[in-house]
Amino acid sequence: MLNVVIFGAPGSGKGTQSELIIKKYGLFHISTGDVLRAEIKNGTELGNTAKGFIEKGQLVPDQLIIDMLANVLDSNPATKDGVIFDGFPRTIPQAEALNEMLKERGTQVSIVVGLDVEESELIDRLLKRGQISGRSDDNYETIKSRLDVYNNQTSPLKAFYIKEGKYADIQGMGTVEEIFARIEKAIDAVK
Ligand code: B4P
């Protein structure tokens, strides 16, 4: 069974490449960002809590995210055939919880696809998306906080997964198709 984690800074192309990975490998897509935005739209308790963090460019607390993810895994039988985790994990405790959750379900992370993109390009992409997305976190000030949070709290995961022998470093600059060709090569090597 194939379980892919797609990893990278905000704007690195996680959501974009996830769509192509799903098309080719038929995985169940879990984007924690999308799940949180749906909770906010539906006005749930989790959504109301998450809103404040997302608007400031901060991470939503680990335990809320971990419980939310366990709930998605348990309520979707299709996740048993393979999942792409998009935007999760973002901290070491989340990565440890993911290992535990998958172990309990008799499986594990197959590969971590790490997208490497220059910071100026990240800011450009997110500002461009901000002009059409209406996302409250796609403005210059919040993008800066999201990049700080990424550098301080999320980037240490790279070393975590290198140590586990699961990290595939992917050059994330170029066209969407060029980047996907690099990802395909890395996934096919572990499939
Ligand atoms: P996410 O929704 O995951 O947002 P993101 O990091 O910006 O990535 P996204 O997938 O949307 O963008 P992509 O790089 O594909 O998270 C939002 C917030 O939710 C977080 O800040 C946090 O507060 C909270 N959250 C989510 N998960 C959490 C967790 N696990 N723990 C705690 N909090 C959590 O694309 C960006 C843009 O680039 C797009 O417009 C795209 O079209 C463009 N693009 C992509 N590839 C390109 C290319 N090759 N060339 C040019 N443009 C490209």
Side-chain angles (χ1 to χ4, degrees):
M1 196 225 285
L2 185 66
N3 290 310
V4 176
V5 170
I6 188 150
F7 175 80
S12 57
K14 299 185 294 289
T16 308
Q17 294 297 334
S18 289
E19 285 175 27
L20 300 179
I21 295 171
I22 292 156
K23 225 190 222 165
K24 167 141 190 195
Y25 299 95
L27 304 172
F28 188 91
H29 187 206
I30 304 180
S31 158
T32 42
D34 287 351
V35 177
L36 290 169
R37 283 185 285 278
E39 296 278 341
I40 293 171
K41 203 168 156 212
N42 294 331
T44 65
E45 199 183 329
L46 171 60
N48 292 337
T49 308
K51 193 167 187 260
F53 291 97
I54 292 178
E55 282 178 352
K56 286 193 215 104
Q58 293 169 359
L59 296 182
V60 176
D62 283 337
Q63 202 52 51
L64 290 179
I65 294 285
I66 292 164
D67 292 347
M68 179 181 95
L69 193 92
N71 184 36
V72 176
L73 287 176
D74 289 338
S75 51
N76 290 284
T79 57
K80 291 195 177 70
D81 299 327
V83 175
I84 177 156
F85 296 95
D86 166 6
F88 179 93
R90 266 175 152 96
T91 63
I92 301 278
Q94 290 184 19
E96 287 167 343
L98 179 62
N99 277 354
E100 204 47 47
M101 270 189 259
L102 293 180
K103 199 169 152 199
E104 280 166 12
R105 291 165 177 80
T107 184
Q108 59 176 333
V109 170
S110 316
I111 184 170
V112 177
V113 171
L115 296 169
D116 189 18
V117 177
E118 288 164 21
E119 188 154 312
S120 57
E121 169 76 9
L122 296 172
I123 296 172
D124 256 24
R125 288 184 190 178
L126 292 172
L127 285 175
K128 255 188 217 144
R129 181 173 69 186
Q131 289 167 5
I132 44 169
S133 69
R135 267 176 61 165
S136 60
D137 57 347
D138 279 345
N139 60 76
Y140 188 73
E141 206 180 306
T142 312
I143 291 167
K144 278 292 204 188
S145 321
R146 287 158 70 196
L147 290 172
D148 282 347
V149 166
Y150 173 78
N151 290 328
N152 294 323
Q153 299 182 52
T154 305
S155 67
L157 281 178
K158 181 172 172 176
F160 178 95
Y161 282 118
I162 288 175
K163 206 166 150 207
E164 294 207 340
K166 302 223 162 129
Y167 195 82
D169 210 344
I170 303 290
Q171 164 60 265
M173 305 281 288
T175 66
V176 169
E177 294 74 22
E178 282 164 352
I179 299 161
F180 182 60
R182 295 174 199 139
I183 294 176
E184 271 181 305
K185 220 164 144 192
I187 293 181
D188 289 343
V190 299
K191 223 165 56 106

